[in-house]
Amino acid sequence: MRSDRNLATFVLAAVAVALTLTLSAGCQRSMAKSSVVDTYPDAAGELDYWDKVATRRAVTNNDALHGLLLTADNASPATWEERLAAARDHGWIGANDTLDANATATMGTVAVAACDILHIKGGLTMRVFGPSPRYCVKELVYLEMIPSRSDNQSLSGLEFIDVISRIEDRRNVAAAAPAGQ
Amino acid sequence: MTNMTNMTNMTKHTIAIARRLAIALLLATPVVTSAQDKAADAKPADAAPAPAAEAAPEAPAAEAAPPKLAPRDADDIADAAARLGAIAKDAAQPLAEGEIKVLSAVVMAVEGRAQWRQDENAAWKDAAVDDMLKPEALIRTGRESTLALRVGLNATVFVDRNSRVKLPQIVQAGSTLSTKMQIYRGRADIKVDKVGLTNDFSVVTPSTTLAVRGTGFSCDVGALFGTRTIGARTNLMRAIEARYFVRSDRFFLSGNATSDGVYRSPAVNELGRSFGPPPLIGQIMQGDRTLTSTGSFLRDPMARPPEGRDEITIQRSIDVKAQRPSFFRFPNGDGGGGVLTDGGN
């Protein structure tokens, strides 16, 4: 009947709109109110920074870049824009990629930085197409530095600190190894 | 005919010997080069064939091997470790039944940024060697930072990078040493020594509790893989213990004895003030100035001191010349007494 057809059409349209709204919202990263580095940006407060990051359920891009730059360069710039520029200089973030400072960081972003810090060249795909988040995560999983994760997953503060610790451990082992190994 | 055959055989034999010797010399050239007499004396007709031919070609001069500890250095470290162990055992005496004694932890080594505080309300302090931590102390380390502690009478703890640990309990109850350690995150190596008392060392992590009876292990607490236990870095901890112990030798002063940063032992310090810092021949340390050898004075008191020496050396040379037969007179730095001549008068 015509009324039944209209009802079915209406229901289908409503479901489609709901799905569209849900998926579009789900693709956005969660946002935090602030980052820990906003409170402890300098070297004097570094230990407080790590302590506070450990309490966070999800690390923000700002906190992640701060910690990664400290690990890589032993220093981190004072502002978010400078950290983003430094990360681009390192090749961790594409020149055209945009990141929100308080959006949750992804495992992929952290993995790209980890591979750069540790000079991990990866396999064929990484060497041919460059260090992409997906394959950097796969590489770290292969090296047993992280458990099986996807590159879009966020990571908690404790997980982030654990990754940083493993980067340092691996770097120290590599530094202690005889030349040529 | 027989003579001809004999001569032919002898010639063949000689040629064989010569060939073997030539090969041996070529192979052994790096070794023989340094002993040129052997090469000059080696004559194909006279040298014994078997030893030369069978001489194993020696390898070229060995590449520089990693420096090894001189026996004296190795003995010092072993002695220091043994003495430390003996002191630890002597100190560990059982208490009366029911008696409880609260112990503490001392910081033995710090690397990088490490802080501690006595409780949640206290301010964080940068850790330094010899800091005493009482039970309930919290410790945290930063990147590339470590902290080594001697906990109580029987345990050594090595707190590694990015760690946060707490020492809720360090007591001796009767004949039992009870220690608790809480690891919130990071890695800590624990070595528990057998000192003649019962060990009750437990490690608490967010997911598990581990008991240590008289052994060592490393506990790594992380959010990615949970709690992992691996082997302790025992050699590293022993080296830290030995270094701390050797550095911490105590000296008792009395009367006018003195001890300073250069010569901590009052006996050696007094020797330096009376006769000059040992060794008498060789480099002499005068505060932050290094004077070169004054050995020439002892050999020839009339010798002039080298150019460019400071007043102390010049004064000593004058004194030496004036007291020619007795050249053991060295004025004290402060102008006091301390003159000693030959014969000890």
Side-chain angles (χ1 to χ4, degrees):
Chain A
M1 303 277 282
R2 193 185 176 105
S3 61
D4 291 337
R5 199 185 304 161
N6 288 340
L7 180 61
T9 305
F10 174 77
V11 168
L12 278 172
V15 168
V17 167
L19 272 176
T20 305
L21 287 172
T22 305
L23 286 174
S24 62
C27 286
Q28 290 181 354
R29 306 230 32 108
S30 306
M31 296 289 288
K33 290 182 184 174
S34 65
S35 298
V36 173
V37 67
D38 296 334
T39 312
Y40 305 105
D42 54 1
E46 185 180 332
L47 293 186
D48 292 318
Y49 159 79
W50 290 115
D51 269 356
K52 290 291 183 265
V53 163
T55 63
R56 287 291 187 106
R57 290 193 170 193
V59 175
T60 62
N61 285 318
N62 204 355
D63 288 334
L65 289 188
H66 180 68
L68 291 165
L69 287 168
L70 284 173
T71 305
D73 305 331
N74 212 26
S76 173
T79 65
W80 159 246
E81 289 73 23
E82 289 173 338
R83 287 185 205 112
L84 192 59
R88 288 199 169 110
D89 289 341
H90 277 287
W92 301 345
I93 300 169
N96 299 326
D97 293 342
T98 56
L99 288 179
D100 286 319
N102 292 331
T104 54
T106 62
M107 183 60 88
T109 304
V110 174
V112 170
C115 288
D116 177 65
I117 293 169
L118 296 171
H119 308 293
I120 294 173
K121 301 276 188 276
L124 178 64
T125 306
M126 266 181 73
R127 289 170 190 260
V128 170
F129 296 104
S132 65
R134 177 180 172 83
Y135 283 94
C136 286
V137 168
K138 285 180 178 290
E139 191 65 28
L140 294 186
V141 171
Y142 170 74
L143 294 172
E144 296 183 358
M145 286 183 63
I146 59 174
S148 180
R149 292 290 169 96
S150 84
D151 53 320
N152 279 323
Q153 273 182 293
S154 59
L155 56 169
S156 67
L158 282 173
E159 290 174 342
F160 177 66
I161 291 174
D162 206 0
V163 172
I164 296 292
S165 299
R166 290 176 188 285
I167 290 173
E168 287 180 12
D169 289 346
R170 193 170 180 89
R171 187 168 54 183
N172 291 340
V173 168
Q181 289 189 4
Chain B
M1 190 64 184
T2 304
N3 286 340
M4 287 289 290
T5 305
N6 287 341
M7 284 181 66
T8 304
N9 288 340
M10 189 180 297
T11 305
K12 286 182 183 174
H13 188 59
T14 304
I15 293 171
I17 292 169
R19 189 183 301 134
R20 287 181 198 157
L21 278 172
I23 294 170
L25 282 171
L26 281 172
L27 291 174
T29 297
V31 176
V32 172
T33 303
S34 61
Q36 298 195 5
D37 287 342
K38 288 183 186 176
D41 291 339
K43 294 178 184 176
D46 295 339
E54 294 175 0
E58 295 189 27
E63 294 177 357
K68 293 181 183 175
L69 270 183
R72 179 173 169 275
D73 296 332
D75 289 342
D76 285 348
I77 293 171
D79 286 345
R83 279 187 290 154
L84 179 64
I87 289 174
K89 285 190 176 169
D90 287 343
Q93 298 296 327
L95 299 174
E97 188 68 27
E99 185 180 350
I100 295 177
K101 182 178 173 185
V102 176
L103 304 173
S104 54
V106 63
V107 176
M108 291 195 292
V110 180
E111 189 177 328
R113 287 204 66 193
Q115 293 180 332
W116 66 277
R117 63 182 181 187
Q118 197 50 61
D119 53 61
E120 296 280 350
N121 299 322
W124 288 101
K125 285 185 272 192
D126 288 336
V129 176
D130 293 334
D131 280 353
M132 297 291 289
L133 280 65
K134 299 218 179 299
E136 300 291 337
L138 280 151
I139 298 158
R140 66 180 184 182
T141 55
R143 294 175 301 113
E144 306 282 358
S145 303
T146 60
L147 178 79
L149 295 155
R150 183 67 182 173
V151 179
L153 301 175
N154 63 336
T156 299
V157 171
F158 182 78
V159 183
D160 212 343
R161 74 296 177 267
N162 292 328
S163 302
R164 186 182 173 108
V165 303
K166 183 177 179 180
L167 297 168
Q169 181 182 1
I170 316 171
V171 298
Q172 180 180 356
S175 61
T176 301
L177 294 168
S178 294
T179 311
K180 277 192 177 51
M181 180 174 165
Q182 199 164 353
I183 304 177
Y184 296 99
R185 58 176 164 89
R187 177 177 172 178
D189 290 43
I190 299 116
K191 181 172 75 73
V192 181
D193 301 318
K194 292 179 181 169
V195 295
L197 300 175
T198 303
N199 290 331
D200 180 17
F201 195 111
S202 56
V203 178
V204 180
T205 72
S207 58
T208 184
T209 300
L210 303 153
V212 188
R213 294 291 175 197
T215 167
F217 66 90
S218 178
C219 188
D220 189 339
V221 178
L224 293 174
F225 292 101
T227 300
R228 300 192 308 166
T229 54
I230 47 184
R233 287 167 284 188
T234 311
N235 285 342
L236 172 63
M237 288 191 279
R238 286 197 175 130
I240 292 172
E241 289 170 354
R243 193 186 319 139
Y244 178 75
F245 175 71
V246 170
R247 189 196 70 85
S248 299
D249 278 345
R250 293 182 184 169
F251 299 98
F252 295 94
L253 307 180
S254 62
N256 294 328
T258 56
S259 175
D260 59 34
V262 178
Y263 301 112
R264 298 173 69 227
S265 166
V268 174
N269 197 286
E270 188 56 37
L271 178 67
R273 291 164 69 82
S274 300
F275 301 104
L280 296 179
I281 296 177
Q283 291 201 339
I284 297 176
M285 298 297 297
Q286 180 69 31
D288 60 349
R289 294 173 296 177
T290 302
L291 311 178
T292 55
S293 174
T294 57
S296 59
F297 302 148
L298 299 177
R299 288 193 300 274
D300 179 9
M302 297 304 295
R304 288 181 60 79
E307 293 294 330
R309 294 297 153 229
D310 64 8
E311 296 169 354
I312 302 297
T313 314
I314 293 171
Q315 178 62 40
R316 288 184 178 180
S317 71
I318 293 170
D319 291 337
V320 165
K321 289 173 194 173
Q323 303 287 333
R324 192 170 166 179
S326 54
F327 50 76
F328 287 114
R329 179 181 179 184
F330 292 93
N332 276 2
D334 58 1
V339 174
L340 179 68
T341 58
D342 256 358
N345 295 322

